[in-house]
């Protein structure tokens, strides 16, 4: 099921969608709420996106310690 796949993990694709997606049809607001949550996670984790010669990349403002996680529940450094 597409909803289960979309909400299983937070992936780099989710980060890019939160930055770039234009929602055309979302009558129940599911996608809008999920992308807003990803934007919150981006701010919480201190991620920034920059354009390089090879495309867009996500960088940490401050590198987290090993073992960090970024999930729908939040960022754990």
């Amino acid at each position: 099921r597409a909803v289960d796949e979309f909400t299983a993990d937070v992936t780099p694709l989710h980060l890019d969608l939160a930055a770039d997606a234009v929602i055309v049809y979302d009558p129940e607001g599911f996608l809008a709420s999920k992308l807003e949550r990803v934007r919150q996670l981006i701010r919480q984790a201190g991620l920034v996106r920059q354009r390089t010669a090879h495309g867009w990349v996500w960088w940490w403002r401050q590198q987290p310690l090993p073992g960090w996680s970024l999930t729908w529940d939040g960022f754990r450094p």
Side-chain angles (χ1 to χ4, degrees):
R1 204 173 121 201
V3 170
D4 294 334
E5 290 177 24
F6 188 86
T7 59
D9 293 311
V10 177
T11 68
L13 175 60
H14 289 96
L15 302 178
D16 290 335
L17 287 172
D20 298 326
V22 175
I23 300 170
V24 176
Y25 184 75
D26 186 24
E28 296 175 10
F30 171 80
L31 188 55
S33 68
K34 291 300 180 187
L35 294 182
E36 179 54 34
R37 178 62 181 142
V38 175
R39 288 183 202 101
Q40 292 170 353
L41 294 171
I42 289 168
R43 288 188 298 272
Q44 183 183 18
L47 292 170
V48 292
R49 190 169 77 153
Q50 295 178 338
R51 188 179 202 65
T52 69
H54 303 288
W56 291 96
V57 295
W58 288 94
W59 299 95
W60 300 96
R61 287 190 182 127
Q62 182 176 358
Q63 184 69 34
L65 296 173
W68 62 270
S69 66
L70 185 64
T71 67
W72 292 106
D73 293 329
F75 171 66
R76 292 184 181 78

